Amino acid sequence: MMKDDKKWQAETGVNDGSVALKIINWLFGTVFFAIGVVNTFWGNDPGFGVFILLLSLVYFLPVNALLQKTTGFSIPKMGVVKILLGLFISWAAVGVGELFDKIELMMLSL
């Protein structure tokens, strides 16, 4: 009986939450990318939209691995950086960037 238990324990994978984190990264990356597109094409500051588009790539690409490979430098606590970046993008888009007005302008032009 003990051999069977050990066999099953060896076959089951350990869920470390990496799949959930990848899904969350892709979700936030997609939302922030869409915010960047709206700000780029509807509104008075396309540079701000391109800036948001570039920041959204942090959620899609393995930025830490790319930095480590190209420069030898990596960002410690990348999860905290992503949370702070998400708060900044949300604040900039909704508060300063008037996102809802731009979405209304986008809907009127379609």
Side-chain angles (χ1 to χ4, degrees), residues 35-50 92-93 95-99 101-103 105-106:
I35 289 172
V37 168
V38 169
N39 278 302
T40 299
F41 296 108
W42 290 275
N44 57 355
D45 191 8
F48 176 69
V50 171
V96 179
E98 299 172 347
L99 179 64
D101 293 337
K102 291 177 183 177
I103 291 174
L105 183 64
M106 179 185 71

Side-chain angles (χ1 to χ4, degrees), residues 64 74-83:
N64 232 5
S74 70
I75 301 171
K77 306 271 187 196
M78 190 62 173
V80 175
V81 171
K82 287 182 179 180
I83 290 170

Side-chain angles (χ1 to χ4, degrees), residues 55-82:
L55 288 179
S56 74
L57 294 178
V58 168
Y59 293 92
F60 294 121
L61 302 175
V63 174
N64 232 5
L66 289 173
L67 279 174
Q68 181 72 29
K69 185 177 178 182
T70 57
T71 65
F73 173 76
S74 70
I75 301 171
K77 306 271 187 196
M78 190 62 173
V80 175
V81 171
K82 287 182 179 180

Side-chain angles (χ1 to χ4, degrees), residues 21-37 52-61 82 85-86 89:
L21 288 175
K22 287 179 184 177
I23 291 171
I24 291 170
N25 273 332
W26 275 91
L27 178 70
F28 277 98
T30 304
V31 168
F32 294 148
F33 188 84
I35 289 172
V37 168
I52 298 296
L53 280 171
L54 291 174
L55 288 179
S56 74
L57 294 178
V58 168
Y59 293 92
F60 294 121
L61 302 175
K82 287 182 179 180
L85 186 62
I89 291 173

